[in-house]
Structure formats: structure tokens, C-alpha cells
């Protein structure tokens, strides 16, 4: 632990334990999701689905926008109206572009309003792709389509949530920005002709590489809670207050099979201290709680693995003789030179820390590859803890996602002993196995069998990995020179912004780890 992190570890002496310090150590089934601590709210979703990779998400979003009655709100880190939403449908390319879909929706419905809020520096990235400045876009589009930039964040921070809300009754949130480079199918074919950056005019842009991502869709009170968060962000970014839409209607797309129905969904946030608003770091507290509570396995997909605090917490669990397996799936390199310089050097440094602690050989960091062994870019933000908790959202495993950027994560928990917990646990593990099957080029049943046979998440994956074709490849960081090592140690490009509560959280949840069956799901 660095001197800075030692100081921060003592910077929060009065912080309550999760749940306000209510000691339920003698009871099994104490939840990880606690409003006011590890999450903001827990609300019921009538229906809940997860889209793995953007092809299905974008196609569903297109139809949801065209069926919208009152309002569609896009809250995003990046946005590009030139992208195609459903290139597999076979229609005309110009009709399938996001901007054309928005125009068609408002022209056919005089009651409909569309709002797009994009991070201001993200707009600069879009200009580099040849996109018209958002001020001009706002003038060129229909009066009921509003484009706005979000500059309401601290210096160096970003608005990083990825939310779309339709009529306050259907909400999408997760890791997928409605922008260029995201579209792909789960087979991540090496030569998919539809995987292209949008071009200017009628021309096509350059081909893009394979991209892995995850987002969710829900209806019911959970969707309305996400709508509350989206309207709050719109007001902070634009100064305009949007009223809730009072009318409720059935808005679930008929052609999408829900993963779950009638399920509790928790919303966790990061909101930086800025403009009079206090720091909210529910996402970091949930990270620490899940690491502390994991009994057999912790599976993580993230764009980055760069948070020293999270790495130190994982290292503590790896030193335990009977701690959990920990598997992290990352891209091979960060997207862009500056990101790689900041996040890549930090990853190499925290990997040293974690691997030194891995005395029982229970940690792996992999990168996925295509059939021809091209690296697949991992942008998904997913965590699966045992058969207990499924989490997805916008936050990465880096410092800025814990305290500097605005983030929104969702989590679903199978609380031991609660009604329906066993069925929910099966779904949680099944989703993890579905993700691993995609990466390993096999069936989810093969993943489940390998993990069951070996009694270990790590050993199960190692049994299924292949030297050719689709698979997961162990990541080896490049050697850090003196300048890169100093950059990683300083954290100047990814500073910690939150008090360190790991020891308090670890002590609290360690008492809740069931000592019984140690077969690793």
C-alpha cells in the first residue's frame, strides 16, 4: 500500500458500516445491496433483459424509438447520429441511420420530444470522426429533437453514464454508447462487412475491429427510477427541468424474451463532488462489498483493471488459503494512445501487486481473441459474484469511475433464503457461463461442466482454453520503464478521489461468508 493510500485508509474514521452498522453476523443471507450505502435505490423490474454485444440492442432501440409516444432521452458519454442501428434488416442504409430514425419518429408523432445529452469532451472525439458540431446538429434537426453538451463535471472528469429512456417506462442502461465502433454480433467474425465506422455523405467509413459490450433493458418501477436519474442528469447538464411522464403503458418489446421477470434491481451511482453536490461513491462501496463477500468466485469484465484500491482488496482475498478464484477479462490494450499510457501502465503496476499475492494460483487476467486470433476489444462492465450477484453498468475498474466521473451500474442479487433466490442464482451463474462460452468458443453447458468437474472457475477455464481459434489468452503486461512506472505510481492521470473504506467493509462482510460448501461455482 502506498503512503497516499495509507493516509486515505484513515481518512474516513466515522464512516458507517454498510447497513448503518446493524450487526446481523449471526444471520445468513445478509444482502450486499443496501440503499444509501452500496446502492441508491432498489426497485422492481416487471421485465429485465440483457443484450450481449450491440447488434441486438441497437435493433431493439430502433423499434422502441419509433414506438415512443412522449419522450426519448439519451444520456451518454458519446453519441453519433450517423450510425446504422440494424444493418442486418436489409433496409436502405440512409433510413437505418440513428439520425434518420429520430427524425422519422418525431415527424410521425407531433407529441414526441427527443433529447440527447453528450459529454462535452466526448463531442471533441466525435468531431475527430467527422461529425458535425452538436450546436449545428441542434439547429439542423427537427425542433422537437434537442442536442446538448454536458459540461457539468469537475476538471478532468467525464459524464460516463450510458442511458436511454423511452416514455419513462422503458429504460436501457449499461456499457454501450449509442455511437460509432460499438456495433458487433456475438460471433465477432473477423470479416463482418457491417462493422464499419459511419462515413461522411453516402460513403462508408473504415472497417472497425471486433467489440464486446453489454447493456440491459427493463420496465416497471426500476425503469422509472432510471428515468429519474436521467432527468436529473439532463437538468444538471442543461438547466432544463423535465417532468415525469405520468401515463403508464405496456412498452416491453414483444420480440425480446426477458431474462428475468418481477425481479428487484439495484441502481448504484458515482457522482463526483462538484457544484455543491456531495460525493456519491456507491459503486466503489459495492465493489469492496462484493470482493469481501465472495466465497468461491469473482468474474469481472472491464475495459480497464487499474484501481489500486480494488487490486489491494483482491490481493487480500487471494492471500487467504480458501479465498475465491478471481478472473478478469480485459482488452489487450486501451482504446487510444493516451488511455493506454494512463490505464495500461496502471494495469501493469496493479498486476504486479495482485500476482505477488496470488500464492494459491487463483487469479487470471485474460484477453479474448477471434477465430483468426485478432484481439476483441472488451468494453463490457460486468461482475458476477458466486451464484449470488450479477452487476453491469458503465463503471470501469479504475479510480475515475469510483469518484471522478458520473456512472450508473445495476445489480441483481440472489439473497440467501429469500423467495425465488435459488432460481435467481441459476440465472446469475448461467449468464456468467454464457459470457465465458462466447469468449471460449463453446457452449454454456461446456463451461458449467468444466467448472463443476474441476471445482474451480480458473481450472475450468484453463481446461477449455485453446491454442487456436476463439479463446481467452493470458495477458502479459509490457515491461515498464522508469518513466512509465513513475506515471503509474503517481496516479496523476487517474487519481483516487474517495475515502478508503476497504478494511471496514471487509470486516463487516467477512462475517457473512458461509463456511460450508467450497466447491467453486
Amino acid at each position: 500500500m502506498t503512503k497516499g493510500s495509507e493516509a486515505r485508509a484513515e481518512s474516513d474514521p466515522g464512516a458507517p458500516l454498510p447497513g448503518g452498522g446493524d450487526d446481523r453476523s449471526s444471520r445468513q443471507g445478509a444482502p450486499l445491496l443496501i440503499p444509501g450505502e452500496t446502492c441508491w435505490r432498489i426497485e422492481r423490474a416487471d421485465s429485465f433483459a440483457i443484450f450481449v454485444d450491440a447488434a441486438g440492442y441497437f435493433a431493439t432501440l430502433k423499434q422502441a424509438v419509433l414506438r415512443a409516444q412522449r419522450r426519448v432521452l439519451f444520456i451518454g458519454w458519446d453519441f453519433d447520429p450517423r450510425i446504422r442501428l440494424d444493418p442486418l434488416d436489409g433496409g436502405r442504409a440512409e433510413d437505418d441511420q440513428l439520425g434518420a430514425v429520430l427524425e422519422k419518429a418525431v415527424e410521425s408523432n407531433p407529441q414526441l420530444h427527443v433529447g440527447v445529452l453528450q459529454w462535452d469532451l466526448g463531442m471533441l472525439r466525435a468531431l475527430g470522426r467527422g461529425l458535425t458540431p452538436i450546436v449545428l446538429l441542434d439547429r439542423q434537426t427537427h425542433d422537437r429533437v434537442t442536442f446538448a453538451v454536458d459540461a457539468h463535471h469537475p476538471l478532468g472528469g467525464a459524464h460516463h453514464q450510458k442511458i436511454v429512456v423511452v416514455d419513462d417506462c422503458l429504460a436501457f442502461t449499461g456499457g454501450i454508447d449509442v455511437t460509432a465502433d460499438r456495433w458487433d454480433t456475438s460471433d465477432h467474425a473477423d470479416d463482418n462487412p457491417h462493422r464499419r465506422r459511419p462515413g461522411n455523405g453516402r460513403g462508408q467509413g473504415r472497417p472497425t475491429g471486433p467489440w464486446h459490450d453489454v447493456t440491459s433493458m427493463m420496465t416497471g418501477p426500476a425503469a422509472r427510477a432510471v428515468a429519474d436519474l436521467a432527468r436529473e442528469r439532463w437538468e444538471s447538464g442543461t438547466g432544463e427541468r423535465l417532468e415525469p411522464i405520468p401515463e403508464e403503458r405496456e412498452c416491453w418489446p414483444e420480440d425480446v424474451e426477458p431474462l428475468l421477470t418481477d425481479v428487484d434491481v439495484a441502481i448504484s451511482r458515482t457522482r463526483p463532488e462538484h457544484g455543491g453536490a456531495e460525493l456519491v461513491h456507491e459503486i466503489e462501496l459495492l465493489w469492496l462489498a462484493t470482493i469481501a463477500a465472495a466465497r468461491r468466485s469473482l468474474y469481472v469484465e472491464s475495459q480497464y483493471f487499474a484501481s489500486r484500491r480494488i487490486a489491494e482488496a483482491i490481493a487480500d482475498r487471494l492471500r487467504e488459503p480458501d479465498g475465491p478464484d478471481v478472473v478478469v477479462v480485459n482488452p489487450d490494450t486501451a482504446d487510444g494512445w493516451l488511455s493506454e499510457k494512463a490505464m495500461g501502465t496502471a494495469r501493469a503496476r496493479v498486476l504486479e501487486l495482485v500476482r505477488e499475492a496470488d500464492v494459491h494460483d487463483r487469479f487470471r487476467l485474460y484477453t479474448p481473441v477471434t477465430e483468426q486470433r485478432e484481439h476483441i476489444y472488451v468494453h463490457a462492465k460486468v461482475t458476477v459474484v458466486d451464484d449470488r450477484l450479477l452487476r453491469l453498468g458503465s463503471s470501469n475498474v479504475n479510480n475515475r469511475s469510483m469518484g471522478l466521473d458520473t456512472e450508473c451500474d445495476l445489480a441483481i442479487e440472489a439473497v440467501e433464503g429469500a423467495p425465488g433466490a435459488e432460481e435467481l442464482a441459476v440465472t446469475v451463474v448461467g449468464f456468467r457461463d454464457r459470457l465465458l462460452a462466447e469468449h471460449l468458443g463453446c457452449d454454456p453447458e461446456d463451461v458449467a461442466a468444466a467448472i463443476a468437474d474441476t471445482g474451480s472457475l480458473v481450472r475450468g477455464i484453463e481446461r477449455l482454453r485453446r491454442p487456436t481459434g476463439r479463446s481467452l489468452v493470458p495477458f502479459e503486461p509490457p515491461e515498464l520503464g522508469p518513466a512509465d512506472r513513475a506515471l503509474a505510481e503517481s496516479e496523476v492521470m487517474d487519481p483516487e478521489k474517495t475515502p478508503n473504506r476497504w478494511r471496514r467493509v471487509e470486516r463487516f462482510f467477512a462475517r457473512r461468508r458461509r463456511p460450508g460448501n467450497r466447491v467453486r461455482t
Side-chain angles (χ1 to χ4, degrees), residues 305 347-356 363 365 475 477:
F305 185 63
R347 174 169 63 174
R349 186 68 186 93
V350 301
L351 269 178
E352 290 179 359
L353 182 157
V354 171
R355 286 176 172 171
E356 182 180 350
F363 175 82
L365 193 150
F475 174 76

Side-chain angles (χ1 to χ4, degrees), residues 446-469:
D446 299 327
V447 175
I451 295 171
D453 289 348
T454 60
S456 161
L457 178 62
V458 166
R459 304 287 172 263
I461 293 172
E462 286 298 313
R463 174 181 288 188
L464 294 170
R465 285 202 313 109
R466 299 180 297 168
T468 59

Side-chain angles (χ1 to χ4, degrees), residues 132-148:
T132 302
I134 208 161
V135 174
L136 295 181
L137 275 177
D138 191 50
R139 294 174 181 172
Q140 294 170 0
T141 53
H142 197 285
D143 288 346
R144 286 182 280 111
V145 178
T146 301
F147 289 90

Side-chain angles (χ1 to χ4, degrees), residues 226-238:
V226 173
D228 291 345
L229 186 62
R231 291 195 311 276
E232 176 187 295
R233 190 65 205 175
W234 180 269
E235 183 175 1
S236 69
T238 68

Side-chain angles (χ1 to χ4, degrees), residues 2 8 306 308 399 486-496:
T2 63
R8 284 185 291 270
R308 175 179 289 274
N399 294 333
L487 179 65
E489 289 285 358
S490 71
E491 298 179 348
V492 66
M493 299 181 72
D494 188 33
E496 288 185 350

Side-chain angles (χ1 to χ4, degrees), residues 367-376 439 469-473:
T367 62
V369 293
T370 67
E371 190 65 30
Q372 297 179 19
R373 310 295 277 188
E374 178 185 356
H375 284 287
I376 299 169
H439 298 317
R470 286 289 296 275
S471 197
L472 289 168
V473 178

Side-chain angles (χ1 to χ4, degrees), residues 266-269 283 287 391-395 407-411:
I267 304 170
S268 298
R269 305 164 299 166
I283 284 173
W287 262 113
R391 166 186 179 173
L392 62 92
S394 66
S395 71
E407 306 280 8
C408 175
D409 284 7
L410 304 180

Side-chain angles (χ1 to χ4, degrees), residues 305-368:
F305 185 63
S307 166
R308 175 179 289 274
R309 184 170 299 157
I310 300 302
E312 287 173 345
I314 289 173
D316 280 355
R317 297 302 317 279
L318 291 173
R319 292 187 188 99
E320 298 175 11
D322 203 17
D325 284 12
V326 179
V327 171
V328 178
V329 178
N330 267 184
D332 183 58
T333 60
D335 185 22
W337 176 86
L338 186 60
S339 292
E340 177 60 21
K341 204 68 176 171
M343 298 295 107
T345 55
R347 174 169 63 174
R349 186 68 186 93
V350 301
L351 269 178
E352 290 179 359
L353 182 157
V354 171
R355 286 176 172 171
E356 182 180 350
D358 186 26
V359 293
H360 305 289
D361 192 29
R362 295 197 310 264
F363 175 82
R364 293 291 188 278
L365 193 150
Y366 298 109
T367 62

